[in-house]
Amino acid sequence: MAQQPAETVSKGELRLCARLGLDEAGTQSLLAAMRAGMSSRGAVVLTARAPEGYVPPFACENLGADWLPPRVYVPAVGEKPTSYPDYAEGFYYSLDLSSCWESACLSQVPPPASSLDMCAAPGGKTMLMAARFGGQNHTANEVHPGRRGILRQNLQQCGYPEVEVTGLRPDQWARNGKTFDLLLVDAPCSGQSLLCKGIKNPGCLSSSMVNGNAKRQKGILLSAAQCVTPGGHIVYTTCTYDPEENEKVIAYILKRVPGWYAVEVPELECFRSTLVPFPAYRLLPVHGAGAGGFCCLLRKEN
Ligand SMILES: C[S@@+](CC[C@H](N)C(=O)[O-])C[C@H]1O[C@@H](n2cnc3c(N)ncnc32)[C@H](O)[C@@H]1O
């Protein structure tokens, strides 16, 4: 029988695996996940519209994971949560499990008197925050006008009319002098994890894409740091793997901006990054909780 030709490994793939410090087995596992594109894992978060005591109408899995945020359910394999009338009613919002795990960072944050989601559309992180703390005194900001419309519509649909929707750039927030107890920065990134969901993302492994995103992320975080009250927090997240857009962005901020430190999140210990001495967390497809991403909780000293 003729042998299948071995798939060639690109320079970008090799660079990424080397930067992540993966051994041979880890490299093979990540490359296989990127090629298979099957790592998507669904989740839903209950919204303000869900009646008291509501449970979703579809079968759910019990992951038994400490990090699963409150009011988040994992539909059993084969279930399609968006096909139920309750979805159209806005009782829950559907997203990837790997967009939920980072919300465990909020377990280390006291209920904020005010909060800002700086990169909010289409609204997943705002919904997760609201599921824990409620939507009062929360601002959902999105710079892109088209995406802002979708954000507004999703918040309306899910019962959060009290959330203020804005469209300022991070540098404009930094200049306007308003501060918040909690900032969510789900930064625009190269989106390498999309490959593991079977979504084409040409160029996401290239140096120019990664470096361009890292530069933008540093700018966004520098602005975000100016918008936090003393003792307040930033949750920084991305859906990409490259340390240049993750650990290195945090290391840059910790060095550049005095008075900030990274906070341990005990529920996320199994995802702790070994690339840096401070607490930061990365999810890979091998963890079985979706396509993956990165998060770090930052606190501003009092
Ligand atoms: C990863 S997405 C946010 C997803 C959202 N947090 C959610 O959970 O549904 C990043 C968002 O940042 C916005 N964005 C792009 N460039 C930006 C910039 N320079 N500053 C702030 N936000 C930006 C994008 O339009 C996009 O909506």
Side-chain angles (χ1 to χ4, degrees):
M1 208 163 71
Q3 278 219 313
Q4 292 284 327
E7 272 200 79
T8 50
V9 181
S10 71
K11 229 164 87 179
E13 288 172 326
L14 282 178
R15 183 173 44 232
L16 172 64
C17 293
R19 281 180 178 169
L20 288 171
L22 297 178
D23 61 13
E24 181 59 26
T27 298
Q28 291 310 327
S29 150
L30 182 58
L31 294 183
M34 290 203 282
R35 280 166 191 162
M38 305 281 282
S39 301
S40 227
R41 188 105 194 255
V44 302
V45 55
L46 302 193
T47 66
R49 278 221 201 284
E52 180 113 12
Y54 178 81
V55 279
F58 42 81
C60 290
E61 273 180 54
N62 181 358
L63 292 190
D66 284 358
W67 51 263
L68 202 67
R71 293 170 69 81
V72 172
Y73 289 81
V74 181
V77 176
E79 288 286 5
K80 285 201 166 47
T82 53
S83 66
Y84 288 77
D86 287 9
Y87 175 69
E89 290 289 334
F91 290 173
Y92 51 82
Y93 181 82
S94 169
L95 65 187
D96 197 274
L97 185 56
S98 64
S99 300
C100 296
W101 71 294
E102 318 98 321
S103 167
C105 289
L106 297 177
S107 70
Q108 303 306 304
V109 175
S114 59
S115 51
L116 169 68
D117 185 346
M118 204 168 233
C119 315
K125 296 293 184 297
T126 278
M127 307 268 183
L128 287 158
M129 197 280 318
R132 196 184 285 261
F133 295 132
Q136 322 81 342
N137 303 316
H138 180 68
T139 303
N141 182 76
E142 170 57 49
V143 285
H144 190 285
R147 290 176 64 85
R148 201 181 313 136
I150 297 167
L151 170 68
R152 208 174 257 125
Q153 204 177 314
N154 285 340
L155 291 171
Q156 200 63 39
Q157 160 101 354
C158 294
Y160 296 108
E162 73 278 25
V163 171
E164 188 186 0
V165 176
T166 55
L168 297 186
R169 293 190 316 267
D171 62 296
Q172 292 173 314
W173 277 110
R175 276 201 304 272
N176 85 3
K178 198 164 172 198
T179 58
F180 300 83
D181 289 348
L182 172 64
L183 247 83
L184 308 179
V185 178
D186 189 21
C189 67
S190 58
Q192 291 160 347
S193 72
L194 296 185
L195 299 178
C196 295
K197 295 188 194 176
I199 300 170
K200 287 201 171 24
N201 189 3
C204 68
L205 297 167
S206 71
S207 291
S208 58
M209 174 79 95
V210 167
N211 295 340
N213 274 292
K215 191 170 171 209
R216 178 164 61 171
Q217 289 149 353
K218 286 172 186 165
I220 293 175
L221 258 191
L222 280 176
S223 294
Q226 295 180 57
C227 302
V228 178
T229 43
H233 293 82
I234 295 178
V235 181
Y236 176 79
T237 49
T238 73
C239 63
T240 205
Y241 306 129
D242 202 305
E244 292 292 323
E245 297 183 56
N246 295 317
E247 287 90 339
K248 290 223 178 154
V249 172
I250 303 295
Y252 169 85
I253 295 297
L254 294 179
K255 192 164 170 212
R256 244 329 267 282
V257 194
W260 282 88
Y261 60 95
V263 179
E264 307 256 357
V265 182
E267 295 92 325
L268 296 180
E269 195 48 40
C270 57
F271 304 114
R272 175 116 181 201
S273 167
T274 52
L275 300 179
V276 282
F278 53 80
Y281 304 93
R282 56 170 52 259
L283 179 74
L284 288 172
V286 71
H287 290 115
F294 172 87
C295 68
C296 182
L297 175 64
L298 295 167
R299 184 167 198 269
K300 183 176 183 167
E301 277 167 5
N302 262 315

